[in-house]
Amino acid sequence: MYNLKVVVIGAGIGGLTTGISLRQAGFEVEIYDRVKELRPAGAGISLWSNGVKVLNCLGLGEKMAQIGGQMDRMQYLTKTGELLNDIDLQPLVEEVGQRPYPVARTDLQQMLLDAYPGEVNLNHKCIGVEEDAQGVTAIFENGHRAIGDLLVAADGIHSILRRYVLNEEVQPKYGTYVNWNGLVPASEDLAPKNSWAIYVGDHKRVSMMPVARDRFYFFFDVPLPKGTPVNPDYRADLAEHFQGWAQPVQLLIERLEPSQTNRVEIHDVGPINKMVRGRVALLGDSAHATCPDLGQGGCQAMEDGLVLTQYLLTTNLGVEYALQRYEAERKERTGAVVQKARRRAEMIHGVDPDITQKWYRQLAQEDPTDVTSAISKVILAGPLH
Ligand code: FAD
């Protein structure tokens, strides 16, 4: 199709990637976000090879390599620091054809903003949508109205447009744990600089992975009831949760900057049975917020953007037809990832303690290539093989 105008709500990973992809395909795009200033939520993200391949398709592969960390291995350790498994990621890279990149979210956001050939319209909170046979109109709190041939609702886990598409309220589900994340200077007394180090024990997890400019993106996971009162002294809180854990974990707690550390209650959405209504398409977390335990939520948003663009480009049967094809392909893929990530979140965080103990034992005995094959399977089930 030619001469389409697309209104995108949300300038997160999903909205920006989609905006870039649509503009490269020759479509007119307007992106709107409610915030006055774009700041990524969270410190870092691991982009697995399927996400990186989307960026390759958009001509951003080289830039991604500059901002991504060199992650050659994954090391699982017990809470007291004994090595459970040391996994070479090269077989994975060879199987899928692209290395994964952990990256600081500010770097990723800046790269995407630089690549988007236009301005994001900030301070525009979308409050509703109207459709007729000719097009769709986004309505904003400030009185602005944006008209397009289609609307992409990339407005995140608390999407207000999800209700319009599904015709019912679907609330995010609590993923049973709290995650603290941030960045620290990389140093060998914390972890090898080319490795993703993961400490596991007591249904908790501590992770450090390298990102550009000699930093580690770190996170801590602790299973806690939803709504557990926040101790604003994150360092003291983490010192208590991880008392007795290995020396690098203690050093990490000492070195993290509490004011730059994020605390998130993990939630997911779905699987939902619709992603599209008429000329409106949900994309990214609005449709399928995913527990971060597979590192796939952002990667799925990127895949969504590319697949949507391709269906719009390759049909002459109209916008609604293209969106139906998008929905049919993406609903299945993303629903499976949401479910798999939730099962993994539950396994890691002791929802059934026997299953978590079994996982700890399995980690010690597992052939490293079984681990890389399992990751490859998730990656290769996407649109880019
Ligand atoms: P968002 O990034 O939430 O963007 C939505 C945008 O919409 C925001 O800018 C918001 O301001 C705007 N908006 C919302 N409502 C409105 C409105 N009404 N009007 C206008 N604008 C609006 N994924 C990975 O791939 N790998 C990982 O390693 C990984 N780790 C994660 C770790 C944690 C702790 C968490 C919480 C998530 C992680 N994810 C990871 C998931 C990933 O962060 C998300 O899937 C991704 O950021 C979703 O992008 P999005 O664009 O769909 O939504």
Side-chain angles (χ1 to χ4, degrees), residues 1-2 4 6 22 27 150 152 306-316 318-320 322-323:
M1 283 183 285
Y2 312 104
L4 290 180
V6 188
L22 291 167
F27 299 127
L150 68 141
V152 174
L306 196 71
V307 170
L308 177 67
T309 305
Q310 281 169 353
Y311 281 120
L312 291 169
L313 259 183
T314 54
T315 182
N316 64 357
V319 167
E320 295 189 19
L323 295 191

Side-chain angles (χ1 to χ4, degrees), residues 10 12-14 33-34 45-46 105 124 126 154-155 285 292 295 297-299:
I13 293 173
D33 202 292
R34 67 180 170 190
I45 183 166
S46 57
R105 284 189 189 246
H124 279 71
C126 182
D155 55 340
D285 275 14
C299 298

Side-chain angles (χ1 to χ4, degrees), residues 281-331:
L282 299 176
L283 183 144
D285 275 14
S286 64
H288 46 72
T290 303
C291 293
D293 303 76
L294 287 178
Q296 276 292 339
C299 298
Q300 293 306 306
M302 291 178 164
E303 288 184 1
D304 284 349
L306 196 71
V307 170
L308 177 67
T309 305
Q310 281 169 353
Y311 281 120
L312 291 169
L313 259 183
T314 54
T315 182
N316 64 357
L317 297 183
V319 167
E320 295 189 19
Y321 173 85
L323 295 191
Q324 290 299 331
R325 295 287 302 271
Y326 160 78
E327 177 186 75
E329 179 171 334
R330 296 307 297 162
K331 203 176 65 177

Side-chain angles (χ1 to χ4, degrees), residues 9-16 32-35 38-39 41-42 44-48 105 124-127 140 154-161 179 181 209 217 219 264-266 283-286 288-292 294-301:
I9 306 299
I13 293 173
L16 286 175
Y32 294 89
D33 202 292
R34 67 180 170 190
V35 298
L38 284 174
R39 265 180 299 154
I45 183 166
S46 57
L47 285 185
W48 287 96
R105 284 189 189 246
H124 279 71
K125 180 178 179 189
C126 182
I127 53 169
F140 297 90
D155 55 340
I157 187 168
H158 302 294
S159 167
I160 65 133
L161 296 170
N179 169 286
N181 64 75
M209 46 172 73
Y217 159 49
F219 64 78
V264 204
E265 284 189 339
I266 296 300
L283 183 144
D285 275 14
S286 64
H288 46 72
T290 303
C291 293
L294 287 178
Q296 276 292 339
C299 298
Q300 293 306 306

Side-chain angles (χ1 to χ4, degrees), residues 191-248:
K193 287 189 184 182
N194 68 343
S195 292
W196 176 14
I198 311 153
Y199 290 82
V200 293
D202 304 339
H203 311 157
K204 302 174 193 172
R205 185 165 62 145
V206 183
S207 153
M208 288 176 263
M209 46 172 73
V211 298
R213 286 185 274 134
D214 215 19
R215 295 167 295 171
F216 285 142
Y217 159 49
F218 69 81
F219 64 78
F220 297 84
D221 291 347
V222 179
L224 288 171
K226 185 173 164 67
T228 298
V230 178
N231 177 352
D233 186 346
Y234 291 166
R235 192 178 278 140
D237 206 12
L238 289 168
E240 203 177 314
H241 286 304
F242 293 93
Q243 203 179 12
W245 283 50
Q247 180 68 359

